[in-house]
Amino acid sequence: MANENNGVVSDSAVIDSINRDMSLDNITVVTSRIRQKANGFSLNLTNSKLSDMLTMDQMLSLLPYVSSTDGSVSIYNQAASAIYIDGVKIVNREQLKMLRPELIERIEVDYFNNGSESAGNPGGIMRIWLKHREKGYLIGIGGETSAKTENGYDGYGFKSYQMGSTGRFTIYNAVMYDRGLSSEKYRTYTQSGSGMSVSDEKYMNNSNTFGDWLSITADAGHNRQVGITAGVSYLRNKGTLGADINETAEGQTADYGTVTWRPQTNLTLNGTAFYNWKINDRGSNLNVTADYLWYKRNREDNYNVIASAGLRPGYSQNADNYTKLLRVKSTWQNVQQNGNTLTTGLDYKLTDFSETEHVMSMRQSVTDHEPAIFASYSGAAGKLSYNANLRVQYNNLKVTANGLTDKRDYWSLCPSAVLRYELSRKHRHNVSLSYQRTVYGLPYDGISTYRVYDGANHYSMGNPYLDVPSRHMVDLRLSLFNQFDVRLSYTKEEKSTFYAEEADPDNPGSTRSVLRNSDGADTKMILVQWAKYPTKWLYFKVSGYAAWDTFRQPEYGYSNKFRWYLYATCTMWLKHNWIINIDGAYDPEKYFNGETYMNTVWNVGMTVAKSFMKKRLQVGLTVTPPYTPRVTKVTKNDLAYRREKLSHGAYIGLKLSYTISGGKLRQRKKAQSIQQYEEQKHDY
């Protein structure tokens, strides 16, 4: 896909507070509808064209202010803070990629965190509800293969999902396997002091990924439900970075080579148990969840120099990383007779993070206790709808590095609110005003001093002395005809973090990126989106933004630096079960932090798909032509750094899926949503 995102859902798996009494597949044709609320929308996908033969990334990218790339979802131009499938929060993007759009009954989107998630996650929340059968089964299998024609990449994958119900029990299981072989080429120029080097690099990677996700739910009677989920994910990477280097220092020139081996294995185990009680027919409910996550990562960097004398060992790292997470959350929701909703809850999370580097005998650990209380109230009064939220959170961190302990604790007070006014119900015009405060907290990887090499002579590392960053955001949004949206936002950052480029103090021929706090930053942004069905068989969405950034540091700074971005997607549903999807993005040149430059990049992709055998069999072909590679340049008083990606990224992929189902279909009463929506017909 052409659009870019930088966020991955990485928190624990918890149950959302929405009532889980799901409806079954509709056996009659219904009109799909989108329902607006103050802080988002709900979309019914039953018998919708959006569920026909599209991938999950393509379908999600058609939704208002939503985009998705390789399972990473952004809402309103920032990474989603949480994604739920049938009330269970996913722990990695592979769980989302296992889904097919035709399995989904409806999707609910909150534009930003309403306080139910951690204070450090400002992004929106997406809730996906699957179609359920009263009695019966559903089995789907799929496979894919792909290649990048220029650099020898090829890969293949297998996915399967199974769902069965006996009336009281429902079982859902999804399994996947991906294999990939890739190769990328880069050229890096570095000038530090009087020294200069040119490096031609080739990175090759061999990866294997396996995942399985199992969910079992049961109706316990008296409007109560219980359930458990379990998941496993395993990744094994074998990376090799080779480089030919020409280095000049003090009038002397040397030519040599380097080779870096980077094996890595990741193993994730997670489980969830939940209890849900539907208190009344209005939708009031009590929900209690407990979940546990265990994660292990082993990563190595073996850097060696190839000279006339042969192979000479250089820098070497071998680290084991363990993360253990326990989370308990209870949510009580009271839907009043007038439809207004009060939600309150308690949330406690314990995170234990440890990392041992064996070569240099370094050990770091972080223990974080995070209790919180949150509340939300939403409702409507005439043409005015509103949503007010508050989360109060306390973090107590104990950071230990090589026997030295540093205790960090801080409070987070995070209010947010939205006011939405209906200007014209007939023409579907509305305006909304929102405010949100976010306290980001301290990322565990961000305070680690482990060196992550991304080139022969360049690495990134965290900073254990970071201050806690926070953010204020004010947003004004105007929507016309339920098709055209304009959003004006102002964001003020306090102690924001950024990666500063500098020379390696231990090796003048190398450079590094170190995470640091800024003195302050703010962004003024205009976001525009136009989405429309010109005909019943054609849909397009065009979105983009223009932003003016200000950044302050003691060494440098800038004011109102301009950048912009444009993305478009178009889908055509043709006769005989054909579908064509085209998307593209244009990302002009830009500067970051006053010292980092990136060139203009544009790309486009097209998918042609067709279904057979009453849509049980689906085949899709995706093609991406060559596009301009990314070039990054860094310029400082004592450092000049330029990195060019030489691979143009041409891509071709083939996907195939087959679904069978059977059993008794019977319509069941649909649960009422916890939010008060205004129903609006739409052509989705």
Side-chain angles (χ1 to χ4, degrees):
M1 297 290 290
N3 48 317
E4 297 180 359
N5 293 286
N6 56 3
V8 177
V9 177
S10 58
D11 209 343
S12 61
V14 295
I15 298 296
D16 187 74
S17 57
I18 289 182
N19 189 287
R20 303 184 73 254
D21 185 12
M22 301 293 297
S23 67
L24 308 179
D25 296 339
N26 288 337
I27 59 176
T28 58
V29 177
V30 297
T31 301
S32 298
R33 52 179 62 93
I34 185 169
R35 298 176 178 180
Q36 301 286 346
K37 62 177 181 177
N39 184 30
F41 63 89
S42 174
L43 177 65
N44 187 345
L45 284 182
T46 304
N47 298 315
S48 170
K49 294 192 292 291
L50 293 185
S51 62
D52 284 349
M53 295 181 287
L54 295 172
T55 66
M56 282 296 297
D57 282 335
Q58 291 168 344
M59 185 273 291
L60 293 177
S61 296
L62 294 177
L63 303 184
Y65 280 115
V66 177
S67 62
S68 178
T69 300
D70 197 28
S72 298
V73 177
S74 69
I75 302 171
Y76 257 142
N77 206 42
Q78 57 185 359
S81 63
I83 299 177
Y84 293 87
I85 299 176
D86 267 2
V88 178
K89 187 176 181 181
I90 66 175
V91 298
N92 60 57
R93 60 185 181 179
E94 298 298 335
Q95 293 175 342
L96 181 64
K97 292 165 61 178
M98 291 179 190
L99 282 182
R100 295 288 302 172
E102 60 265 25
L103 295 176
I104 299 174
E105 180 188 89
R106 76 180 188 274
I107 298 176
E108 297 184 356
V109 173
D110 290 338
Y111 290 141
F112 58 80
N113 184 357
N114 57 13
S116 62
E117 302 302 321
S118 180
N121 297 325
I125 301 171
M126 176 177 289
R127 303 176 182 91
I128 298 174
W129 304 99
L130 304 182
K131 298 173 181 176
H132 282 229
R133 297 170 179 271
E134 193 70 22
K135 291 183 178 180
Y137 65 91
L138 178 71
I139 300 175
I141 57 175
E144 60 183 278
T145 182
S146 57
K148 289 186 177 179
T149 57
E150 177 199 24
N151 52 18
Y153 170 91
D154 64 82
Y156 58 87
F158 168 83
K159 295 180 176 64
S160 177
Y161 50 84
Q162 310 89 39
M163 181 183 292
S165 178
T166 63
R168 171 167 291 189
F169 292 93
T170 298
I171 300 176
Y172 173 77
N173 184 71
V175 61
M176 61 80 64
Y177 171 76
D178 276 329
R179 169 70 183 273
L181 300 170
S182 64
S183 175
E184 300 285 354
K185 296 180 180 179
Y186 298 89
R187 177 169 294 159
T188 303
Y189 302 86
T190 304
Q191 182 172 353
S192 178
S194 60
M196 185 178 68
S197 67
V198 179
S199 174
D200 287 315
E201 305 166 9
K202 183 177 181 180
Y203 183 70
M204 295 174 289
N205 190 60
N206 183 346
S207 66
N208 291 270
T209 305
F210 168 80
D212 188 87
W213 190 38
L214 173 67
S215 174
I216 303 175
T217 60
D219 292 327
H222 304 289
N223 293 322
R224 291 172 170 85
Q225 285 184 319
V226 294
I228 58 172
T229 69
V232 57
S233 176
Y234 177 77
L235 167 68
R236 182 172 178 81
N237 264 346
K238 295 181 180 179
T240 302
L241 173 64
D244 294 320
I245 302 173
N246 176 271
E247 191 173 277
T248 301
E250 298 180 354
Q252 301 293 321
T253 300
D255 293 309
Y256 62 95
T258 66
V259 60
T260 306
W261 291 286
R262 294 178 178 167
Q264 177 177 311
T265 57
N266 298 347
L267 176 63
T268 303
L269 304 174
N270 67 283
T272 303
F274 72 88
Y275 168 82
N276 191 63
W277 174 29
K278 180 183 176 183
I279 300 174
N280 56 42
D281 291 336
R282 295 194 302 269
S284 300
N285 66 85
L286 173 67
N287 177 267
V288 181
T289 66
D291 63 279
Y292 181 78
L293 181 145
W294 182 89
Y295 171 80
K296 177 186 178 181
R297 175 172 60 177
N298 174 267
R299 53 184 176 178
E300 298 181 39
D301 277 292
N302 298 302
Y303 174 76
N304 300 272
V305 177
I306 305 174
S308 57
L311 188 68
R312 175 169 54 86
Y315 189 84
S316 180
Q317 292 184 128
N318 185 340
D320 287 317
N321 169 280
Y322 290 90
T323 301
K324 302 173 185 178
L325 188 148
L326 173 67
R327 187 173 188 179
V328 180
K329 182 179 178 181
S330 63
T331 305
W332 174 72
Q333 190 170 72
N334 179 26
V335 181
Q336 303 169 356
Q337 291 185 353
N338 61 0
N340 294 355
T341 302
L342 173 65
T343 303
T344 61
L346 300 173
D347 191 3
Y348 172 75
K349 183 169 69 173
L350 170 63
T351 304
D352 183 71
F353 170 91
S354 64
E355 187 171 71
T356 301
E357 204 290 307
H358 301 287
V359 177
M360 303 181 67
S361 300
M362 296 177 61
R363 176 174 173 80
Q364 300 178 95
S365 64
V366 178
T367 302
D368 183 8
H369 297 271
E370 184 183 288
I373 183 171
F374 61 91
S376 175
Y377 188 79
S378 60
K383 294 184 177 182
L384 180 69
S385 57
Y386 51 87
N387 172 250
N389 316 283
L390 178 65
R391 183 180 180 93
V392 180
Q393 178 176 301
Y394 174 71
N395 285 80
N396 182 287
L397 287 87
K398 184 174 73 171
V399 182
T400 302
N402 291 334
L404 300 177
T405 300
D406 182 21
K407 294 184 179 181
R408 309 284 297 273
D409 62 324
Y410 56 92
W411 287 89
S412 301
L413 181 65
C414 299
S416 61
V418 183
L419 292 175
R420 178 178 179 271
Y421 185 76
E422 197 72 28
L423 299 174
S424 171
R425 182 160 300 181
K426 178 180 178 181
H427 297 98
R428 289 180 275 181
H429 303 333
N430 63 78
V431 62
S432 61
L433 178 66
S434 62
Y435 167 78
Q436 180 189 32
R437 182 176 189 264
T438 301
V439 178
Y440 289 110
L442 299 174
Y444 306 124
D445 286 349
I447 59 179
S448 170
T449 57
Y450 186 93
R451 299 180 179 184
V452 180
Y453 279 84
D454 57 4
N457 292 308
H458 183 270
Y459 64 87
S460 301
M461 61 180 290
N463 180 359
Y465 305 106
L466 286 176
D467 290 328
V468 179
S470 62
R471 185 188 79 163
H472 300 269
M473 186 187 74
V474 179
D475 184 274
L476 178 65
R477 175 175 175 245
L478 175 65
S479 179
L480 302 175
F481 303 104
N482 207 27
Q483 297 174 355
F484 185 76
D485 290 86
V486 178
R487 177 189 172 201
L488 307 176
S489 71
Y490 174 75
T491 302
K492 180 177 177 58
E493 306 273 358
E494 298 174 345
K495 299 292 183 180
S496 62
T497 57
F498 70 102
Y499 279 95
E501 293 288 338
E502 59 187 37
D504 184 353
D506 301 324
N507 184 1
S510 296
T511 58
R512 67 181 187 179
S513 301
V514 181
L515 195 63
R516 302 197 183 281
N517 290 110
S518 72
D519 287 346
D522 62 73
T523 299
K524 297 177 281 292
M525 182 176 288
I526 301 176
L527 296 97
V528 179
Q529 176 183 278
W530 184 29
K532 184 176 177 57
Y533 274 89
T535 68
K536 291 184 178 181
W537 56 270
L538 175 63
Y539 172 80
F540 70 84
K541 184 179 85 170
V542 179
S543 60
Y545 67 80
W548 294 262
D549 299 318
T550 297
F551 184 84
R552 293 178 296 277
Q553 262 291 90
E555 295 87 0
Y556 56 85
Y558 56 86
S559 179
N560 292 324
K561 182 71 71 174
F562 178 72
R563 58 185 170 92
W564 63 283
Y565 177 82
L566 182 65
Y567 170 75
T569 182
C570 173
T571 302
M572 293 171 281
W573 293 267
L574 307 178
K575 294 181 179 180
H576 308 296
N577 296 324
W578 285 92
I579 186 173
I580 299 176
N581 176 266
I582 303 173
D583 67 350
Y586 184 78
D587 193 3
E589 62 180 14
K590 62 189 68 178
Y591 287 86
F592 293 94
N593 305 331
E595 60 178 19
T596 302
Y597 163 84
M598 289 187 176
N599 66 316
T600 298
V601 172
W602 65 269
N603 48 39
V604 65
M606 182 176 71
T607 298
V608 179
K610 180 175 172 54
S611 64
F612 306 87
M613 304 170 62
K614 297 181 179 180
K615 296 187 178 181
R616 290 195 296 269
L617 176 64
Q618 299 182 6
V619 181
L621 179 68
T622 300
V623 177
T624 299
Y627 58 85
T628 305
R630 178 69 79 184
V631 176
T632 302
K633 293 193 298 184
V634 176
T635 303
K636 299 179 68 172
N637 293 333
D638 58 345
L639 173 66
Y641 171 81
R642 175 186 173 96
R643 184 170 174 83
E644 301 177 357
K645 184 176 181 180
L646 303 180
S647 307
H648 58 52
Y651 169 89
I652 183 171
L654 177 67
K655 295 185 178 182
L656 182 146
S657 64
Y658 183 77
T659 304
I660 59 175
S661 61
K664 183 179 179 181
L665 298 178
R666 178 161 54 88
Q667 186 68 23
R668 188 168 58 184
K669 183 179 178 182
K670 186 180 295 186
Q672 179 176 337
S673 173
I674 66 171
Q675 299 285 0
Q676 177 161 331
Y677 293 96
E678 179 195 350
E679 185 172 312
Q680 294 182 347
K681 290 185 178 180
H682 201 278
D683 290 326
Y684 282 100

